[in-house]
């Protein structure tokens, strides 16, 4: 009974950590530009696929992982420079279509160059499960949770203790005012894209040994990351992390106790339910329109 | 401005009347039928997105309800196809109406999230209830018949769909230039100003959402009968996006933009089929380039360039 | 009985008490002005009475009926119209359509009839178009009857808002800084326009910084400072009130 509960909790938290990283990516870009980046999931996919590709071509694991994080970050910058910056201030739908176009291009290129097969990555520290009160925890789960925790702490430090981080936060509150005090908001924008692409890629790399990857896993992962970001209240970093874990854990419990066929529907039922009662997510700021 | 709008309608009717005489073969007739079906859906969606300024990323879900009503009810329960079509539209309308009230208290990104979620839930339900729907493989749809006459030939389908399209264009133009239509456009222009003059904004958003959902459902039924087969792809997230893209590429808040968007995006995959393996890349590129260089869509951009209104 | 009765009205945004226990009443047929320094809560007061904000406490009565917390569209039904300090024009529509939207509640809003273009509906709509053009002439916008809203200058848009409000055939109209941003000649014209509106029997409530205009037009004046009522009375009474003098000279007594 307890063992089963813990089992669901472990697997939910592991997947949830990936959603949390994706949700942080959404949040970063949303704060910098008000854009919902529907290509976020493709960075998760790209991280996993590149990690597989580089390890299979014989590179040592650490090098492969660094490359698999850096390349998506560069792709993120390219996307921002070519597709987002030229249309600053366009309507929401227009921006949504641009980011979806971007996701199609990334997915299409991956299929062309890395193939349409399903791939796996060896777990970083072996496959010997750890037993806790009758439930088993894979060492890779610890990697996922540990790295996510480190990333969250580093991000917190970055945004609260460094000048660049504070400049990025300032831009998200009021980009005009930020520009007036001398912050280069266009630099903030491309840093946000680079960081959120890297975050997505890290999540994708870490989770691949557990969930496998292929060129088309990005859509669902991205959409669930979006759910997580909205659950937490768009733009709220801590909310995104909590949202990610919540979505992952509830999905795991739902699949385990209710119906595994409807596993993918659970995050979306959850978000509709939350939005109906809390139109700005769990931690979203209440705003009053000025007229 | 109104005169010019109706002049456009005559051109649409003329083109629709002449088209079957000039298409070289059945491949193009089939393409024309699918374009017209999409055009009707996109007209409805443009009223919601372009005119009323509300977003929906889940309309393919409604299309799916219509399509599967037309597949499941006649196959498993022996319903008459027309009755099944009506039932699909009624269920869609009811679902949209019940959910729209809480959904349209939301704005912007939150609204996008809610409609997206709704569409995905519908799609997952269709995929999972394999006993009824055939699951991911889909299922065949019986032919549409009326009083002993079976609608099977493409020629007949063409005329049915062309009639639907002409009526939809006419009704859209009428609606836009009416008190109802002005209220829709006003709540897009300034929500607070429209409220202050007495527009119950949530009611109007709900009304146009339900109407566009019912349109999508009806055309989903038409698609099902015309193609003779349904798959869950009809209702998936990507198809929702395709429909929204037709609205935006053609031009938001433009009736004729909707038609152009539907025609172009229906033809595009055919044209890209020659790219073998690169279709997705090319499709994505085209979306990006169009939106970066014409963020307002084709028809409004061209209209502005040549100095004409609407 | 007064047309509008406001009793101990307050709204708080977080810790900010934007309007505190403000009470006053407005008789039908007069021009009533609300003045005060920037940030005194004038626009917030308008937003409260016209339903854009929900009051934290207090009571608003229109013709004896409690209307506090009702939504703007419910107030529109009861004949309350307003304009905005920051323009709220629908730039996606033509100028005359903006005025016609003002007549929303007076027209047949049926969706089906509209889609089928039933003659009863279109005839009434055509009449409304004529009436809207007439209103545009009334506010001095005859030049812009065929114009698109996004091609009009600022001063013209201010009047377009007034025309839209008048199209409602309101009993009570709230004008939020109708002369802000206008040049002296335009200000005089708006001054005359408000006089004409008042003469047509509509009760006018006005927020304005132009003191000459306020003194010239208003029957009674309410002075707000830091969200509180400082004084209320005729122009002469207000002008002599020591608190008002102190507030305006910046020396808080």
């Amino acid at each position: 009974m307890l063992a089963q509960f813990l089992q669901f909790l472990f697997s939910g938290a592991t997947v949830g950590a990936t959603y949390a990283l994706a949700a942080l990516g959404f949040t970063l870009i949303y704060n910098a530009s008000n854009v919902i980046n529907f290509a976020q999931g493709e960075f998760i996919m790209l991280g996993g696929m590149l990690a597989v590709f580089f390890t299979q071509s014989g590179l040592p694991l650490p090098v492969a992982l660094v490359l698999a994080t850096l390349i998506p970050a560069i792709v993120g910058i390219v996307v921002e420079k070519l597709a987002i910056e030229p249309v600053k201030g366009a309507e929401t739908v227009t921006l949504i279509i641009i980011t979806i176009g971007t996701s199609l291009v990334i997915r299409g290129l991956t299929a062309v160059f890395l193939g349409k097969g399903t791939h796996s990555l060896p777990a970083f520290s072996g496959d010997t499960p750890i037993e806790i009160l009758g439930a088993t925890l894979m060492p890779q789960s610890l990697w996922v949770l540990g790295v996510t925790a480190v990333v969250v702490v580093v991000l917190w430090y970055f945004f609260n203790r460094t000048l660049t981080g504070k400049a990025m936060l300032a831009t998200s509150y009021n980009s005009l005012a930020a520009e007036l005090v001398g912050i280069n908001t266009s630099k903030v924008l491309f840093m946000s894209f680079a960081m959120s692409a890297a975050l997505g890629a890290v999540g994708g790399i870490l989770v691949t040994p557990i969930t496998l990857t292929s060129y088309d896993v990005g859509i669902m992962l991205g959409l669930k990351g979006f759910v997580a970001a909205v659950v937490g209240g768009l733009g709220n970093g801590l909310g995104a992390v909590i949202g990610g874990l919540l979505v992952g854990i509830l999905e795991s419990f739902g699949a385990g106790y209710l119906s595994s066929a409807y596993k993918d529907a659970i995050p979306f039922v959850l978000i509709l339910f939350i939005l109906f009662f809390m139109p700005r997510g769990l931690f979203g700021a209440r705003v009053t329109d000025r007229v | 401005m109104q005169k010019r709008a109706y002049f456009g309608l005559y051109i649409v009717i003329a083109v629709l009347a002449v088209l079957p005489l000039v298409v070289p073969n059945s491949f193009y007739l089939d393409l024309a039928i699918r374009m017209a079906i999409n055009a009707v859906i996109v007209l409805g969606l443009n009223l919601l997105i372009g005119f009323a300024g509300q977003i929906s990323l889940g309309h393919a879900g409604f299309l799916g309800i219509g399509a599967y009503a037309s597949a499941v009810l006649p196959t498993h329960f022996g319903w008459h196809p027309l009755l099944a079509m009506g039932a699909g539209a009624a269920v869609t309308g009811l679902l949209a109406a019940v959910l729209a009230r809480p959904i349209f208290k939301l704005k912007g990104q939150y609204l996008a999230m809610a409609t997206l979620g709704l569409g995905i839930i519908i799609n997952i339900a269709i995929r999972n209830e394999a006993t009824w729907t055939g699951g991911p493989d889909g299922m065949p749809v019986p032919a549409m018949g009326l009083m002993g006459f079976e609608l099977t030939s493409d020629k007949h389908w063409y005329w049915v769909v062309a009639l639907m399209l002409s009526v939809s264009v006419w009704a859209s133009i009428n609606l836009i230039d009416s008190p109802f239509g002005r209220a829709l456009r006003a709540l897009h222009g300034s929500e607070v100003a429209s409220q202050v003059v007495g527009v119950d904004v949530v009611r109007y958003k709900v009304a146009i959402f339900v109407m566009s959902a019912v349109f999508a459902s009806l055309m989903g039924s038409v698609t099902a009968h015309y193609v003779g087969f349904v798959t869950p792809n009809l209702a998936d997230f990507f198809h929702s996006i395709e429909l929204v893209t037709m609205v935006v590429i053609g031009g938001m808040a433009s009736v004729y933009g909707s038609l152009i968007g539907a025609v172009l995006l229906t033809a595009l995959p055919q044209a890209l089929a020659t790219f073998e393996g690169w279709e997705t890349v090319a499709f994505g590129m085209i979306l990006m380039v169009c939106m970066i260089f014409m963020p307002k869509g084709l028809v409004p951009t061209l209209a502005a360039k040549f100095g004409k209104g609407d | 009985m007064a047309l509008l009765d406001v009793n101990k009205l307050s709204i708080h945004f977080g810790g900010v008490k934007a309007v505190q226990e403000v009470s006053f009443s407005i008789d039908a047929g007069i021009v009533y002005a609300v003045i005060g320094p920037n940030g005194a809560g004038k626009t917030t007061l308008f937003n409260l009475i016209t339903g854009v904000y929900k009051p934290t406490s207090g009571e608003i009565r229109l013709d004896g009926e409690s209307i506090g917390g009702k939504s703007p569209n419910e107030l529109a039904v009861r004949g309350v119209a307003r304009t905005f300090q920051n323009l709220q024009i629908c730039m996606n529509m033509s100028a005359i359509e903006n005025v016609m939207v003002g007549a929303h509640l007076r027209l047949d809003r049926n969706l089906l009839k509209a889609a089928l273009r039933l003659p009863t509906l279109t005839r009434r709509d055509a009449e409304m178009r004529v009436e809207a053009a007439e209103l545009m002439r009334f506010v001095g916008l005859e030049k812009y009857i065929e114009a698109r809203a996004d091609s009009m200058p600022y001063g013209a848009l201010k009047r377009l808002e007034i025309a839209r409000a008048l199209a409602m055939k309101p009993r009570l109209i709230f004008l939020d800084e109708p002369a802000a941003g206008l040049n002296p000649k335009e200000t005089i014209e708006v001054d005359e326009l408000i006089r004409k509106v008042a003469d047509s029997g509509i009760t006018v409530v006005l927020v304005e910084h132009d003191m000459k205009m306020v003194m010239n037009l208003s029957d009674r004046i309410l002075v707000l400072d830091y969200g509180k009522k400082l004084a209320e009375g005729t122009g002469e009474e207000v002008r002599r009130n020591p608190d008002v003098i102190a507030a305006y000279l910046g020396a808080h007594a």
Side-chain angles (χ1 to χ4, degrees), chain C residues 16-38:
Chain C
V16 182
K17 296 173 177 176
V19 171
Q20 289 181 64
E21 307 232 319
V22 171
S23 304
F24 60 92
S25 61
I26 300 176
D27 289 325
I30 70 166
V31 176
Y32 192 91
V34 181
I35 63 169
N38 282 323

mmCIF file of all heavy atoms in Angstrom, chain C residues 16-38:
data_model
loop_
_atom_site.group_PDB
_atom_site.id
_atom_site.type_symbol
_atom_site.label_atom_id
_atom_site.label_comp_id
_atom_site.label_asym_id
_atom_site.label_seq_id
_atom_site.Cartn_x
_atom_site.Cartn_y
_atom_site.Cartn_z
ATOM 1 N N VAL C 16 -3.442 50.473 -0.112
ATOM 2 C CA VAL C 16 -3.700 51.835 -0.564
ATOM 3 C C VAL C 16 -5.189 52.142 -0.497
ATOM 4 O O VAL C 16 -6.001 51.466 -1.124
ATOM 5 C CB VAL C 16 -3.205 52.029 -2.010
ATOM 6 C CG1 VAL C 16 -3.425 53.465 -2.451
ATOM 7 C CG2 VAL C 16 -1.748 51.640 -2.124
ATOM 8 N N LYS C 17 -5.532 53.160 0.301
ATOM 9 C CA LYS C 17 -6.940 53.550 0.387
ATOM 10 C C LYS C 17 -7.189 54.637 -0.644
ATOM 11 O O LYS C 17 -7.014 55.821 -0.374
ATOM 12 C CB LYS C 17 -7.251 54.037 1.796
ATOM 13 C CG LYS C 17 -7.074 52.912 2.817
ATOM 14 C CD LYS C 17 -7.200 53.403 4.241
ATOM 15 C CE LYS C 17 -7.094 52.199 5.185
ATOM 16 N NZ LYS C 17 -7.102 52.576 6.591
ATOM 17 N N ALA C 18 -7.588 54.212 -1.863
ATOM 18 C CA ALA C 18 -7.686 55.157 -2.973
ATOM 19 C C ALA C 18 -8.878 56.087 -2.813
ATOM 20 O O ALA C 18 -8.813 57.260 -3.170
ATOM 21 C CB ALA C 18 -7.779 54.403 -4.290
ATOM 22 N N VAL C 19 -9.972 55.574 -2.275
ATOM 23 C CA VAL C 19 -11.139 56.399 -1.973
ATOM 24 C C VAL C 19 -11.612 56.008 -0.581
ATOM 25 O O VAL C 19 -11.754 54.829 -0.284
ATOM 26 C CB VAL C 19 -12.272 56.169 -3.011
ATOM 27 C CG1 VAL C 19 -13.551 56.859 -2.563
ATOM 28 C CG2 VAL C 19 -11.856 56.673 -4.384
ATOM 29 N N GLN C 20 -11.818 57.019 0.283
ATOM 30 C CA GLN C 20 -12.173 56.720 1.671
ATOM 31 C C GLN C 20 -13.441 57.431 2.087
ATOM 32 O O GLN C 20 -13.472 58.654 2.185
ATOM 33 C CB GLN C 20 -11.064 57.204 2.603
ATOM 34 C CG GLN C 20 -9.793 56.403 2.528
ATOM 35 C CD GLN C 20 -8.801 56.978 3.524
ATOM 36 O OE1 GLN C 20 -9.011 56.950 4.726
ATOM 37 N NE2 GLN C 20 -7.709 57.533 3.008
ATOM 38 N N GLU C 21 -14.490 56.655 2.369
ATOM 39 C CA GLU C 21 -15.713 57.165 2.973
ATOM 40 C C GLU C 21 -16.199 58.453 2.322
ATOM 41 O O GLU C 21 -16.481 59.435 3.013
ATOM 42 C CB GLU C 21 -15.473 57.411 4.464
ATOM 43 C CG GLU C 21 -14.914 56.187 5.168
ATOM 44 C CD GLU C 21 -15.726 55.824 6.389
ATOM 45 O OE1 GLU C 21 -16.134 56.732 7.130
ATOM 46 O OE2 GLU C 21 -15.965 54.605 6.571
ATOM 47 N N VAL C 22 -16.290 58.470 1.024
ATOM 48 C CA VAL C 22 -16.742 59.665 0.328
ATOM 49 C C VAL C 22 -18.265 59.623 0.186
ATOM 50 O O VAL C 22 -18.823 58.613 -0.211
ATOM 51 C CB VAL C 22 -16.074 59.781 -1.053
ATOM 52 C CG1 VAL C 22 -16.712 60.901 -1.872
ATOM 53 C CG2 VAL C 22 -14.581 60.016 -0.900
ATOM 54 N N SER C 23 -18.925 60.710 0.555
ATOM 55 C CA SER C 23 -20.379 60.805 0.423
ATOM 56 C C SER C 23 -20.736 62.092 -0.305
ATOM 57 O O SER C 23 -20.131 63.142 -0.065
ATOM 58 C CB SER C 23 -21.048 60.835 1.798
ATOM 59 O OG SER C 23 -20.678 59.716 2.545
ATOM 60 N N PHE C 24 -21.703 62.006 -1.190
ATOM 61 C CA PHE C 24 -22.253 63.208 -1.838
ATOM 62 C C PHE C 24 -23.501 62.796 -2.598
ATOM 63 O O PHE C 24 -23.781 61.597 -2.740
ATOM 64 C CB PHE C 24 -21.239 63.857 -2.789
ATOM 65 C CG PHE C 24 -20.774 62.955 -3.909
ATOM 66 C CD1 PHE C 24 -21.423 62.962 -5.145
ATOM 67 C CD2 PHE C 24 -19.702 62.112 -3.726
ATOM 68 C CE1 PHE C 24 -20.989 62.134 -6.165
ATOM 69 C CE2 PHE C 24 -19.256 61.278 -4.747
ATOM 70 C CZ PHE C 24 -19.905 61.291 -5.965
ATOM 71 N N SER C 25 -24.261 63.753 -3.057
ATOM 72 C CA SER C 25 -25.406 63.401 -3.893
ATOM 73 C C SER C 25 -25.551 64.415 -5.017
ATOM 74 O O SER C 25 -25.109 65.563 -4.910
ATOM 75 C CB SER C 25 -26.676 63.295 -3.069
ATOM 76 O OG SER C 25 -26.942 64.544 -2.476
ATOM 77 N N ILE C 26 -26.112 63.956 -6.122
ATOM 78 C CA ILE C 26 -26.218 64.782 -7.320
ATOM 79 C C ILE C 26 -27.682 64.840 -7.732
ATOM 80 O O ILE C 26 -28.317 63.800 -7.930
ATOM 81 C CB ILE C 26 -25.364 64.194 -8.454
ATOM 82 C CG1 ILE C 26 -23.893 64.132 -8.025
ATOM 83 C CG2 ILE C 26 -25.527 65.007 -9.731
ATOM 84 C CD1 ILE C 26 -22.986 63.473 -9.046
ATOM 85 N N ASP C 27 -28.211 66.057 -7.861
ATOM 86 C CA ASP C 27 -29.592 66.213 -8.311
ATOM 87 C C ASP C 27 -29.671 66.084 -9.821
ATOM 88 O O ASP C 27 -28.710 66.382 -10.529
ATOM 89 C CB ASP C 27 -30.118 67.590 -7.901
ATOM 90 C CG ASP C 27 -30.342 67.661 -6.396
ATOM 91 O OD1 ASP C 27 -30.751 66.624 -5.818
ATOM 92 O OD2 ASP C 27 -30.086 68.728 -5.809
ATOM 93 N N ALA C 28 -30.824 65.654 -10.307
ATOM 94 C CA ALA C 28 -31.012 65.509 -11.749
ATOM 95 C C ALA C 28 -30.895 66.864 -12.433
ATOM 96 O O ALA C 28 -31.303 67.890 -11.880
ATOM 97 C CB ALA C 28 -32.366 64.881 -12.038
ATOM 98 N N GLY C 29 -30.299 66.872 -13.624
ATOM 99 C CA GLY C 29 -30.300 68.055 -14.466
ATOM 100 C C GLY C 29 -29.166 69.038 -14.220
ATOM 101 O O GLY C 29 -29.076 70.046 -14.912
ATOM 102 N N ILE C 30 -28.287 68.759 -13.271
ATOM 103 C CA ILE C 30 -27.219 69.722 -13.019
ATOM 104 C C ILE C 30 -25.898 69.269 -13.646
ATOM 105 O O ILE C 30 -25.777 68.157 -14.134
ATOM 106 C CB ILE C 30 -26.998 69.962 -11.511
ATOM 107 C CG1 ILE C 30 -26.378 68.723 -10.848
ATOM 108 C CG2 ILE C 30 -28.302 70.337 -10.829
ATOM 109 C CD1 ILE C 30 -25.826 69.014 -9.468
ATOM 110 N N VAL C 31 -24.925 70.188 -13.634
ATOM 111 C CA VAL C 31 -23.553 69.825 -13.989
ATOM 112 C C VAL C 31 -22.763 69.789 -12.689
ATOM 113 O O VAL C 31 -22.744 70.746 -11.934
ATOM 114 C CB VAL C 31 -22.925 70.853 -14.955
ATOM 115 C CG1 VAL C 31 -21.464 70.497 -15.218
ATOM 116 C CG2 VAL C 31 -23.707 70.916 -16.249
ATOM 117 N N TYR C 32 -22.159 68.638 -12.419
ATOM 118 C CA TYR C 32 -21.470 68.405 -11.153
ATOM 119 C C TYR C 32 -20.008 68.126 -11.463
ATOM 120 O O TYR C 32 -19.710 67.298 -12.318
ATOM 121 C CB TYR C 32 -22.113 67.201 -10.474
ATOM 122 C CG TYR C 32 -21.719 66.999 -9.035
ATOM 123 C CD1 TYR C 32 -22.467 67.581 -8.015
ATOM 124 C CD2 TYR C 32 -20.643 66.203 -8.701
ATOM 125 C CE1 TYR C 32 -22.124 67.377 -6.682
ATOM 126 C CE2 TYR C 32 -20.294 66.003 -7.373
ATOM 127 C CZ TYR C 32 -21.041 66.595 -6.358
ATOM 128 O OH TYR C 32 -20.701 66.398 -5.047
ATOM 129 N N ALA C 33 -19.105 68.815 -10.802
ATOM 130 C CA ALA C 33 -17.689 68.606 -11.111
ATOM 131 C C ALA C 33 -16.967 67.973 -9.925
ATOM 132 O O ALA C 33 -17.300 68.251 -8.775
ATOM 133 C CB ALA C 33 -17.025 69.928 -11.464
ATOM 134 N N VAL C 34 -16.011 67.084 -10.233
ATOM 135 C CA VAL C 34 -15.143 66.517 -9.201
ATOM 136 C C VAL C 34 -13.739 67.020 -9.488
ATOM 137 O O VAL C 34 -13.216 66.801 -10.584
ATOM 138 C CB VAL C 34 -15.166 64.981 -9.237
ATOM 139 C CG1 VAL C 34 -14.279 64.412 -8.133
ATOM 140 C CG2 VAL C 34 -16.587 64.454 -9.107
ATOM 141 N N ILE C 35 -13.148 67.731 -8.524
ATOM 142 C CA ILE C 35 -11.800 68.247 -8.747
ATOM 143 C C ILE C 35 -10.888 67.765 -7.628
ATOM 144 O O ILE C 35 -11.344 67.211 -6.630
ATOM 145 C CB ILE C 35 -11.764 69.790 -8.845
ATOM 146 C CG1 ILE C 35 -12.218 70.412 -7.517
ATOM 147 C CG2 ILE C 35 -12.625 70.286 -9.995
ATOM 148 C CD1 ILE C 35 -11.962 71.921 -7.458
ATOM 149 N N GLY C 36 -9.608 68.024 -7.824
ATOM 150 C CA GLY C 36 -8.628 67.630 -6.816
ATOM 151 C C GLY C 36 -7.293 67.417 -7.474
ATOM 152 O O GLY C 36 -7.214 67.257 -8.692
ATOM 153 N N PRO C 37 -6.226 67.423 -6.660
ATOM 154 C CA PRO C 37 -4.886 67.241 -7.232
ATOM 155 C C PRO C 37 -4.752 65.861 -7.888
ATOM 156 O O PRO C 37 -5.577 64.975 -7.641
ATOM 157 C CB PRO C 37 -3.959 67.332 -6.013
ATOM 158 C CG PRO C 37 -4.789 67.843 -4.897
ATOM 159 C CD PRO C 37 -6.204 67.570 -5.207
ATOM 160 N N ASN C 38 -3.697 65.659 -8.687
ATOM 161 C CA ASN C 38 -3.444 64.346 -9.292
ATOM 162 C C ASN C 38 -3.331 63.297 -8.204
ATOM 163 O O ASN C 38 -2.708 63.539 -7.175
ATOM 164 C CB ASN C 38 -2.148 64.372 -10.094
ATOM 165 C CG ASN C 38 -2.356 65.039 -11.437
ATOM 166 O OD1 ASN C 38 -3.414 64.877 -12.047
ATOM 167 N ND2 ASN C 38 -1.369 65.795 -11.875
#
